[in-house]
Amino acid sequence: MQHHNQTMPCSRRYIVHKLMYHVSRNYVYLLLLIAAVILLIKCNSKFDRSNTGSKYSFSLFGERKLPEPTQAEIDYFAEYVNLSFAVEDNFISGEMMGGRGQFLGRISLANTGNKEIPTKRWQLYGYSMRLVEMDEYPYPNGYHLNTCGLKLFHVGGSLYRFEPDGDNFVALKPYEIMTCRFKSQAFQIARSDSMPRWYVTSSSTMPKVLENTDDEGLKYVKDFNNKEQYKRRMDDKSSPYSTQTRFEMYETGNTEIDSRLKIIPTPLIMQVKNKWEMEFNTNKWVIVKSDVFLEEVKFFSDKLSMNIVKSKPMRKYIEVRKASVSVDIDGKSQEREDAYSIETMPQKEYILITAATNEAVFYAFQTLSSALFTPDARETVGIPVMLPEFIIKDAPRFSYRGLHIDVSRNFIEIDEILKIIDVIAMYKMNKLHLHLSDDEGWRLQIPGIPELTQIGASRCHDLREEQCILPMLGSGPYSNTSGSGYYDIGDYREILVYAKERHVEIIPEFDMPGHSRAAIKSVHSSSQRSMRKDMKAESFSIIDPDDHPNFRSGQHFSDDVMNPCLESTYTFVKKIITEVKKMHQDIQPLKFYHFGGDEVADGAWDASPACQKLMKKRGENMSHYDLMKYFINNLTRIASDESVSVGAWEDGMISHDSLDVGVPFPRDAFKNEDIYVYVWKRPSERRTPHRTKLFANKGYKVILAYGSYLYFDHPYEPDPEERGLYWATRKISTRDAWEFTPSIMFNDKHLDCPKVIKDKTECFDLMKPENIMGMQAELWTETVRTNEQAEFMLFPRLLAVAERAWHKAAFESLQGKAAEKMKALEWEKFADAVGYHELPRLDKMGVRYRISLPGAVAIAGKANFNTEFPGLDIEYFSADTDSWKLASHGMLVEQAIKIRTRSTDGKRYSREVWLDPTATNTAMSLLSHNNLFSYKLISVTMFLYFTNILLIFQCYT
């Protein structure tokens, strides 16, 4: 029986054992199968460049927990690990920017020391303005990068984090290099898209900046050598310029230009007589005191080091008279309060200035100072200047001639702001628009809300954001860079005093309800909430604590929008306006408050309980744009009560609801007497066409601020080595800005008028031209972190804006070939004045303007050179003497040489470029010029070539 039981195949014990055997064997097979699949996926990903990783990790036993690194290991990492970044391919998706387009990038970590980088829980922080791995976004648990064993996290905005993947990261041994590939939104075609100051840390150590990334030259970014790197897509026609391209662009008709008076902006009427001249010396001439224009006379007597006398001498004096001045504008004689005249009388050695207002007298003295400047001596004091007999009658084209500077993304210290005010006043620009808040920083002290600057004005590595807000845009882990800083009340009042003396109005902007993350994180930090609760202080809450929004802004934030449905939001708004008004009160009364209003992410308030409550109370459903209108209505009411006009970026004042896309909000919906709208999108924007005319015709005051011509955060040339963004246009040269005219607003005539507008003339005709108040250049600072970079981006382009805002060019009244001929002549005169006169003035003021790269061409072994602005020298590097020498026309060039342009004072230089005599006039160099004829010629040649090959093949077969 016992024997029978041991061998019975159907016994329970037998069945259990047999089942366990099969299960265990199959389990092993299953595990082996899973392991094989994982291995196959990982191996395959190494060969598929577009498969960079996954949100999900394949791990049999869960991700391994890693130990924390020591401070010594973090310090070693920062010192000895060299990080590099490269764009591999912008064409991987073939899509346009704004769609689903992506580029493939890589970072490499090279261990240059003699210790390994361990498999521990260190964290590497870096920056990207593009959304990384957008197809997998969001990835709160990290994105597993197959190529290197790291996980990627989006911290917020432009800040990202890499950390070792516990199961896949292998310690980086001495002298080894690890490479990670990842995809990012759109494309990157410029070095300056990348940011400095990557840093490494952990939850228990102090952060350290990687030393090789602590460099404004961004040398850690690899060069952009091929078209997949420096073009946005395959049909992109923009290419870096060759020296020959620049040579052809700079060439002019060599018109003989009267060099006696070079004044920018160009006066309305300037009559120079040839009969008489007189010697003017600031040491020997005086200014007659004027009780009416006391401040202006004192200002320029100090500037020119001239004495003021009470009574007129017999000779050698300047007199200022108060009287109206008539000027001829478009064939009509007009008396203008802002007009002035200057008359020199050599026979009597006497200069007469006539004007009706202090502002006009100030501009007259600026013109006279320009006439007195001597480029050779670089001085105006004590140097004899020969002045011809002339009469100038002048008045500005626009009443608003502005410059906008973003001090939020990167802070600009007060001394630099004062320097910029000096320069813009010299060119008769009269508005300085300061962008004082945004997601990345709050820059003005506000009494009663100290946390705005205590927290919101600093960026550092504080993930809880209790002491500061997150690092962004290359600011690094500490508050000692341009990511941090603010103006206290004393600083701001000093700016106001300085600007008032120079007849420049300061326009403060605090961006709201969007772009408000710095304010939100400051006011709603947990430390401030508890403090206010204890103090029972007035509530400035600007977000709904019960709201859990699900949106992403264009800058990749999901927490940067104020809530318009809270009464406390308007308590905050009123506090800001009233406190800023107090700062202005006894210096330059606040007339104008800019509230931004731009780029508020659609859906920001969809889940807000406060907004649901508001709609229930009002008995209506309110769309996103209804809520925007509600916010603006309340804000303009507050501003109106304070007798302050308001301004906004155009998209803050336009509905994008399906029935009325692109239509401005009704003007009568807002109480404020004057509302200024800054039009910045491309003139032919398909979703919002005709907006300049629509705004003006509906009664808004319009400032022309088109990104395609006036956004000076864009590069001068389509070159990866030129600083700047390029979403609006690939490049904005000084000439591009100079060619901008208000007629650009009619470039949308081919686009339909929105259907809800019954009177179509509102779209196609400017019926209220008086509402076009002027123009403004913009300097946004996402890629600008130093004073030198700011000046580089602003000058000399800003001179072109000053010229066009003050002076209507003759070519604007012409058409066809006559207009083009006149435009070429007027540009030549302007460029001549910039090169010979204005750049030396900027050098004297210490302004570090961009020095244009040289143009050059080599034909039959001889080189010719030119510059964008005449009067600047070109140097070449001589290998024989290992030094730079002055280049000359017709010099022999047998091999490639480095060349550069030198500033007028000889202290600074342009980027160095190569002149290769063997490359000139080849098919490839013609291609690089974007020359249509060259394209056609090469295309025909290639067609004939391949046709012959095909015929030979057919004959052979």
Side-chain angles (χ1 to χ4, degrees):
M1 185 73 177
Q2 186 177 6
H3 178 76
H4 176 78
N5 287 340
Q6 287 178 342
T7 59
M8 187 189 316
C10 294
S11 71
R12 292 179 182 177
R13 184 178 298 177
Y14 178 85
I15 293 172
V16 169
H17 279 285
K18 197 75 173 174
L19 183 62
M20 290 179 64
Y21 170 75
H22 283 291
V23 168
S24 61
R25 187 177 63 174
N26 289 337
Y27 181 67
V28 171
Y29 290 157
L30 181 62
L31 289 179
L32 290 173
L33 179 61
I34 291 172
V37 169
I38 293 171
L39 185 63
L40 182 62
I41 291 172
K42 290 190 173 184
C43 290
N44 185 58
S45 68
K46 293 181 180 180
F47 299 100
D48 181 3
R49 296 170 75 221
S50 64
N51 181 9
T52 52
S54 171
K55 282 199 291 189
Y56 309 103
S57 174
F58 297 96
S59 178
L60 298 179
F61 306 105
E63 186 177 339
R64 182 161 58 103
K65 298 297 182 183
L66 300 180
E68 290 289 314
T70 65
Q71 186 65 55
E73 288 170 329
I74 293 296
D75 294 347
Y76 174 88
F77 193 120
E79 183 176 359
Y80 290 102
V81 172
N82 282 354
L83 181 144
S84 65
F85 170 79
V87 172
E88 289 197 351
D89 192 350
N90 282 312
F91 299 169
I92 59 170
S93 61
E95 297 283 347
M96 302 279 283
M97 182 175 72
R100 303 297 298 174
Q102 298 187 67
F103 73 90
L104 185 66
R106 74 168 187 269
I107 62 166
S108 297
L109 300 175
N111 185 354
T112 66
N114 57 12
K115 298 179 182 178
E116 74 173 20
I117 302 300
T119 308
K120 293 188 177 181
R121 200 159 182 258
W122 48 262
Q123 300 167 346
L124 175 64
Y125 287 83
Y127 315 91
S128 173
M129 290 186 289
R130 312 287 191 266
L131 189 63
V132 181
E133 297 294 349
M134 56 186 277
D135 288 341
E136 303 291 341
Y137 191 86
Y139 33 85
N141 297 317
Y143 183 84
H144 298 262
L145 295 166
N146 292 337
T147 52
C148 61
L150 294 182
K151 284 195 298 184
L152 172 71
F153 296 83
H154 181 226
V155 184
S158 62
L159 187 64
Y160 288 82
R161 180 177 82 248
F162 298 84
E163 60 183 49
D165 186 334
D167 295 313
N168 299 301
F169 182 79
V170 178
L172 184 62
K173 298 188 181 307
Y175 313 113
E176 283 188 346
I177 299 175
M178 179 184 71
T179 297
C180 295
R181 287 184 172 84
F182 50 84
K183 291 174 290 185
S184 293
Q185 184 181 27
F187 37 74
Q188 177 172 339
I189 55 174
R191 184 183 299 275
S192 64
D193 280 4
S194 296
M195 305 290 172
R197 288 180 280 279
W198 288 55
Y199 64 95
V200 62
T201 188
S202 73
S203 60
S204 59
T205 58
M206 297 290 291
K208 291 285 186 176
V209 174
L210 270 63
E211 290 185 6
N212 86 299
T213 69
D214 194 7
D215 165 38
E216 284 297 335
L218 301 174
K219 296 184 182 67
Y220 80 90
V221 180
K222 297 294 186 181
D223 291 341
F224 295 70
N225 292 319
N226 56 62
K227 64 182 181 180
E228 290 82 12
Q229 294 173 308
Y230 60 72
K231 287 180 178 289
R232 293 164 287 184
R233 50 189 179 268
M234 285 179 279
D235 62 343
D236 187 351
K237 293 182 171 53
S238 296
S239 294
Y241 294 154
S242 67
T243 54
Q244 181 173 337
T245 302
R246 293 189 192 94
F247 186 87
E248 294 167 357
M249 289 169 58
Y250 298 163
E251 278 294 274
T252 61
N254 297 314
T255 306
E256 290 188 12
I257 299 171
D258 188 344
S259 60
R260 290 177 298 172
L261 286 179
K262 300 180 188 296
I263 296 168
I264 292 177
T266 304
L268 184 64
I269 298 170
M270 183 165 60
Q271 298 173 346
V272 181
K273 301 178 181 180
N274 296 318
K275 191 172 183 181
W276 301 99
E277 283 187 333
M278 63 182 177
E279 184 181 89
F280 183 98
N281 190 319
T282 55
N283 290 339
K284 298 177 181 179
W285 281 62
V286 296
I287 305 176
V288 179
K289 183 179 180 182
S290 169
D291 293 331
V292 181
F293 303 116
L294 184 63
E295 291 182 0
E296 286 71 30
V297 169
K298 177 69 168 59
F299 182 89
F300 280 94
S301 69
D302 291 343
K303 181 177 180 178
L304 300 175
S305 297
M306 294 179 66
N307 292 326
I308 299 175
V309 297
K310 292 184 179 179
S311 56
K312 290 188 287 188
M314 294 294 293
R315 289 178 176 274
K316 299 184 188 298
Y317 67 94
I318 300 171
E319 180 186 4
V320 183
R321 290 182 188 171
K322 182 172 182 176
S324 59
V325 176
S326 295
V327 290
D328 189 13
I329 298 176
D330 293 331
K332 297 179 182 179
S333 181
Q334 303 176 24
E335 281 192 3
R336 294 263 300 266
E337 284 191 352
D338 51 2
Y340 69 87
S341 70
I342 306 175
E343 187 173 359
T344 61
M345 288 165 263
Q347 290 177 292
K348 299 179 181 180
E349 291 187 296
Y350 164 53
I351 297 174
L352 175 63
I353 292 175
T354 306
T357 64
N358 298 70
E359 186 179 31
V361 169
F362 181 85
Y363 295 142
F365 270 117
Q366 290 288 18
T367 297
L368 183 59
S369 296
S370 179
L372 292 173
F373 181 77
T374 54
D376 293 337
R378 307 285 197 271
E379 294 289 347
T380 57
V381 178
I383 304 297
V385 178
M386 298 306 296
L387 278 182
E389 183 178 4
F390 66 80
I391 296 175
I392 289 176
K393 287 190 174 184
D394 198 11
R397 175 187 198 169
F398 289 123
S399 61
Y400 190 113
R401 306 175 300 280
L403 168 64
H404 160 277
I405 300 181
D406 169 16
V407 298
S408 177
R409 270 54 179 272
N410 280 291
F411 185 62
I412 297 178
E413 300 283 351
I414 181 173
D415 289 346
E416 182 67 16
I417 294 295
L418 300 183
K419 181 179 180 180
I420 290 171
I421 290 173
D422 255 335
V423 180
I424 66 174
M426 187 168 78
Y427 294 106
K428 306 184 180 76
M429 300 183 77
N430 64 346
K431 312 288 182 185
L432 180 60
H433 172 178
L434 293 176
H435 188 80
L436 292 164
S437 80
D438 213 294
D439 295 321
E440 297 88 354
W442 183 284
R443 304 303 184 189
L444 182 62
Q445 180 184 18
I446 301 295
I449 320 180
E451 58 267 35
L452 285 172
T453 45
Q454 288 172 354
I455 298 173
S458 295
R459 300 208 291 260
C460 70
H461 183 71
D462 173 13
L463 298 181
R464 294 183 62 192
E465 298 183 283
E466 291 297 317
Q467 304 299 319
C468 56
I469 57 178
L470 290 172
M472 294 286 164
L473 303 171
S475 59
Y478 296 106
S479 302
N480 58 355
T481 68
S482 60
S484 300
Y486 68 93
Y487 309 117
D488 63 25
I489 295 170
D491 293 333
Y492 189 69
R493 286 172 62 82
E494 183 179 347
I495 291 171
L496 292 174
V497 169
Y498 203 82
K500 180 178 181 289
E501 290 174 349
R502 291 153 180 78
H503 293 274
V504 173
E505 180 185 358
I506 300 298
I507 299 171
E509 178 190 347
F510 298 93
D511 212 338
M512 53 183 67
H515 285 283
S516 295
R517 190 177 188 275
I520 291 167
K521 290 300 176 182
S522 300
V523 173
H524 288 271
S525 67
S526 61
S527 60
Q528 294 303 321
R529 286 200 304 271
S530 63
M531 183 190 74
R532 290 198 179 282
K533 183 178 180 181
D534 294 341
M535 295 173 59
K536 296 182 180 179
E538 186 176 18
S539 174
F540 296 111
S541 295
I542 49 181
I543 59 171
D544 183 352
D546 297 322
D547 189 9
H548 301 285
N550 183 22
F551 70 89
R552 189 178 77 242
S553 73
Q555 289 71 35
H556 316 307
F557 292 105
S558 58
D559 52 0
D560 71 337
V561 181
M562 294 181 183
N563 194 299
C565 306
L566 298 171
E567 282 299 318
S568 52
T569 294
Y570 304 105
T571 304
F572 178 84
V573 170
K574 184 173 183 178
K575 178 70 172 175
I576 300 302
I577 293 176
T578 55
E579 290 296 342
V580 175
K581 185 180 178 182
K582 289 177 188 176
M583 297 180 205
H584 279 251
Q585 195 162 351
D586 58 341
I587 303 171
Q588 188 186 79
L590 182 66
K591 297 185 288 186
F592 195 163
Y593 169 77
H594 199 295
F595 71 89
D598 59 314
E599 296 184 326
V600 180
D602 198 1
W605 308 301
D606 284 356
S608 166
C611 289
Q612 296 299 321
K613 184 177 178 181
L614 175 69
M615 286 186 262
K616 185 175 180 180
K617 180 180 177 181
R618 292 169 63 93
E620 60 177 318
N621 287 323
M622 300 173 73
S623 70
H624 176 84
Y625 295 99
D626 289 331
L627 290 172
M628 271 298 296
K629 207 183 317 181
Y630 177 79
F631 174 82
I632 297 167
N633 183 284
N634 284 318
L635 184 145
T636 55
R637 174 180 48 79
I638 293 168
S640 180
D641 290 345
E642 298 294 333
S643 301
V644 174
S645 297
V646 299
W649 303 107
E650 64 166 288
D651 50 322
M653 304 298 295
I654 285 180
S655 175
H656 288 69
D657 285 335
S658 58
L659 294 178
D660 53 359
V661 171
V663 178
F665 294 143
R667 178 61 185 84
D668 57 9
F670 311 120
K671 182 178 180 182
N672 204 284
E673 183 176 347
D674 287 325
I675 299 180
Y676 289 73
V677 177
Y678 293 66
V679 176
W680 59 274
K681 292 188 178 181
R682 286 181 289 269
S684 57
E685 190 80 24
R686 291 190 174 275
R687 281 182 57 81
T688 55
H690 314 291
R691 61 204 174 283
T692 302
K693 301 179 290 294
L694 286 171
F695 276 121
N697 291 340
K698 288 183 179 296
Y700 290 96
K701 306 295 185 185
V702 177
I703 308 300
L704 305 178
Y706 289 117
S708 301
Y709 301 89
L710 299 171
Y711 268 42
F712 290 168
D713 57 327
H714 283 51
Y716 284 84
E717 288 187 7
D719 192 299
E721 297 304 321
E722 289 284 337
R723 182 172 300 279
L725 305 177
Y726 36 81
W727 58 265
T729 180
R730 188 61 190 90
K731 56 94 180 179
I732 301 176
S733 67
T734 302
R735 183 163 186 172
D736 291 330
W738 179 86
E739 289 185 350
F740 172 78
T741 69
S743 64
I744 294 296
M745 74 178 75
F746 296 102
N747 281 9
D748 53 12
K749 283 190 172 182
H750 62 290
L751 297 175
D752 293 336
C753 189
K755 294 179 180 179
V756 296
I757 297 177
K758 296 179 181 178
D759 184 0
K760 303 305 180 186
T761 57
E762 289 188 16
C763 288
F764 298 103
D765 298 330
L766 180 62
M767 297 179 288
K768 296 182 179 179
E770 67 276 10
N771 283 336
I772 306 296
M773 307 305 294
M775 61 179 66
Q776 177 171 280
E778 270 64 45
L779 179 63
W780 301 97
T781 57
E782 288 95 334
T783 66
V784 176
R785 289 172 294 276
T786 69
N787 295 343
E788 185 173 5
Q789 291 168 2
E791 292 173 18
F792 179 98
M793 299 302 281
L794 283 173
F795 303 105
R797 290 188 287 199
L798 196 61
L799 276 62
V801 179
E803 170 75 3
R804 196 55 62 237
W806 183 276
H807 177 73
K808 182 179 179 180
F811 73 80
E812 294 184 61
S813 302
L814 303 174
Q815 293 181 341
K817 291 183 178 179
E820 292 303 313
K821 184 177 180 180
M822 181 59 71
K823 183 189 291 185
L825 175 63
E826 290 190 308
W827 166 254
E828 190 169 348
K829 290 180 178 179
F830 178 81
D832 186 79
V834 169
Y836 285 113
H837 195 260
E838 301 309 326
L839 296 185
R841 291 179 84 193
L842 294 177
D843 277 330
K844 181 176 181 291
M845 297 177 74
V847 175
R848 292 155 292 187
Y849 55 85
R850 176 184 183 265
I851 304 170
S852 303
L853 277 64
V857 61
I859 300 175
K862 292 185 177 181
N864 286 320
F865 307 92
N866 60 8
T867 56
E868 183 177 19
F869 303 108
L872 282 74
D873 291 326
I874 295 174
E875 296 180 339
Y876 73 97
F877 185 78
S878 170
D880 295 336
T881 61
D882 195 30
S883 62
W884 289 89
K885 293 185 175 182
L886 195 65
S888 59
H889 289 291
M891 64 180 280
L892 292 176
V893 178
E894 297 178 348
Q895 57 187 3
I897 58 171
K898 284 192 293 187
I899 58 176
R900 67 186 185 186
T901 311
R902 186 172 67 186
S903 65
T904 62
D905 64 359
K907 296 179 180 178
R908 298 184 305 113
Y909 304 92
S910 72
R911 274 195 295 117
E912 298 168 8
V913 292
W914 287 91
L915 171 62
D916 186 355
T918 63
T920 305
N921 293 330
T922 65
M924 289 307 296
S925 68
L926 288 171
L927 267 175
S928 69
H929 300 162
N930 294 325
N931 184 300
L932 183 61
F933 173 77
S934 301
Y935 280 128
K936 290 180 177 178
L937 179 63
I938 293 169
S939 298
V940 169
T941 304
M942 297 301 289
F943 174 78
L944 293 174
Y945 174 81
F946 283 113
T947 301
N948 286 333
I949 292 293
L950 182 61
L951 288 173
I952 291 170
F953 177 78
Q954 288 177 338
C955 291
Y956 178 80
T957 56

